[in-house]
Amino acid sequence: MLIFKLSSVDFSFACLKNVIFSRANLCHSKFQEVDAENTIFHDATVSDCDFTRANLRGAV
C-alpha cells in the first residue's frame, strides 16, 4: 500500500478538481480558496489543514 506524504504543502488558490488524495498524509497543509470540486480524500490524514473558503462541492 502506498502512502504519499504531502504534509505542510501550500496548495492555496490551486485548481485541484477531480484529484485523488486517497491515503495521503496532508497534515498541516493549506487549501485556502482551492477549487477541489469532486476531489477524493478517502482515508487521507487532514489534521490541522486549512480549508478556508475552499470549494469542496462533491468532495469525498
Side-chain angles (χ1 to χ4, degrees):
M1 170 177 27
L2 292 174
I3 298 176
F4 296 99
K5 184 179 179 194
L6 297 170
S7 59
S8 301
V9 175
D10 189 350
F11 293 104
S12 296
F13 306 101
C15 179
L16 300 173
K17 286 184 176 182
N18 303 306
V19 173
I20 300 172
F21 283 120
S22 294
R23 293 190 285 266
N25 179 354
L26 299 166
C27 293
H28 308 287
S29 292
K30 294 181 183 178
F31 291 89
Q32 293 177 341
E33 297 191 39
V34 298
D35 188 358
E37 191 168 326
N38 299 316
T39 295
I40 298 171
F41 293 97
H42 183 72
D43 287 333
T45 305
V46 293
S47 59
D48 296 317
C49 286
D50 184 356
F51 289 95
T52 304
R53 292 184 297 278
N55 173 15
L56 299 172
R57 190 173 310 129
V60 178

